[in-house]
Amino acid sequence: MRLAFVLLLLSATIASAADVVSGRASIIDGDTIEVAHATIRLYGIDAPEAGQKCDKASGGSWRCGDEATGAIADLAEGKDVRCEILGKDDYDRLLGICTVGGVEINQRMVADGHAWAFVKYASDYVDVEQQARSAGLGVWQGPARAPWDYRAEKWTVAEQEAPEGCPIKGNISRNGKIYHPPWSPWYSRTRIDESKGERWFCSEREAVDAGWRAPHWR
């Protein structure tokens, strides 16, 4: 249930049911948006990471992460969005159920096969996911690797090569301080120059606390 999801997050802050954030949306990735200068993680879903590929039933692969981000952009980019806030996650992102033009974005992303039900924390969209699976939509057109498994695999490989096992790259560019976890599509071409104030982080929490932000999709 929704309340259980929020309680399970170690640093969750429970918000009043009346808490709502609304305004024009900009897209960060397939399950995260920005509304009224607030970063909102869509409650109960997990979309493939930018750069993640999924298998086709006929063989080969397709860029499901980019497709997911494009899908949520088509739904919400630059449009008026209303988000019911349930609390915060351990990166200080608001957890929200968001709607645009009467359409619930969280549900739609799962229904169209662009995101998984995030069953580690919530069961709200399990039935919706099953319908998408049965119809072979989106990520379900072939064997699908869940984004949490994809992230874990990338992390395991990167931490073996990173200084002191801290694989997140804190880059500084004209766009500001941006951190790249191992699953970022820009990770391999990002170089860290500590003389310029760039650095490595051991966790996303550490990067956020130090003033870095996650990369946006464009």
Side-chain angles (χ1 to χ4, degrees), residues 40-80:
I40 300 175
R41 177 68 163 80
L42 297 181
Y43 157 84
I45 77 171
D46 197 6
E49 297 295 332
Q52 183 175 344
K53 295 181 180 180
C54 295
D55 293 332
K56 295 179 179 179
S58 58
S61 63
W62 60 289
R63 301 185 69 85
C64 54
D66 289 346
E67 289 278 351
T69 304
I72 195 172
D74 289 342
L75 277 173
E77 177 75 25
K79 299 177 183 178
D80 289 327

Side-chain angles (χ1 to χ4, degrees), residues 31-32 34 38 46 76 84 94 138-139 151 159 183 195 204:
D31 50 36
T32 313
E34 187 174 284
D46 197 6
E84 176 189 350
L94 298 175
V139 299
R151 291 191 295 266
E159 73 176 344
W183 48 87
S195 69
E204 289 189 79

Side-chain angles (χ1 to χ4, degrees), residues 25-148:
S26 59
I27 305 306
I28 294 177
D29 58 29
D31 50 36
T32 313
I33 65 176
E34 187 174 284
V35 180
H37 305 292
T39 299
I40 300 175
R41 177 68 163 80
L42 297 181
Y43 157 84
I45 77 171
D46 197 6
E49 297 295 332
Q52 183 175 344
K53 295 181 180 180
C54 295
D55 293 332
K56 295 179 179 179
S58 58
S61 63
W62 60 289
R63 301 185 69 85
C64 54
D66 289 346
E67 289 278 351
T69 304
I72 195 172
D74 289 342
L75 277 173
E77 177 75 25
K79 299 177 183 178
D80 289 327
V81 170
R82 183 184 186 276
C83 298
E84 176 189 350
I85 304 304
L86 304 179
K88 289 184 178 180
D89 70 6
D90 51 1
Y91 305 124
D92 273 341
R93 298 175 300 191
L94 298 175
L95 294 167
I97 300 172
C98 300
T99 58
V100 56
V103 175
E104 184 190 311
I105 299 171
N106 310 46
Q107 190 271 351
R108 180 67 173 273
M109 289 295 288
V110 178
D112 289 347
H114 293 306
W116 278 252
F118 208 170
V119 292
K120 180 179 179 180
Y121 298 113
S123 60
D124 295 56
Y125 302 105
V126 169
D127 290 344
V128 179
E129 179 188 292
Q130 185 55 54
Q131 293 173 14
R133 282 175 180 255
S134 297
L137 300 178
V139 299
W140 307 113
Q141 62 185 270
R145 178 169 44 163
W148 50 86

Side-chain angles (χ1 to χ4, degrees), residues 2-3 5-7 9 11-21 83-89 93-97:
R2 290 170 181 169
L3 181 58
F5 168 67
V6 177
L7 291 174
L9 294 173
S11 64
T13 300
I14 302 302
S16 164
D19 284 348
V20 170
V21 174
C83 298
E84 176 189 350
I85 304 304
L86 304 179
K88 289 184 178 180
D89 70 6
R93 298 175 300 191
L94 298 175
L95 294 167
I97 300 172

Side-chain angles (χ1 to χ4, degrees), residues 138-157:
V139 299
W140 307 113
Q141 62 185 270
R145 178 169 44 163
W148 50 86
D149 291 332
Y150 177 80
R151 291 191 295 266
E153 179 184 308
K154 291 289 186 180
W155 184 276
T156 298
V157 172

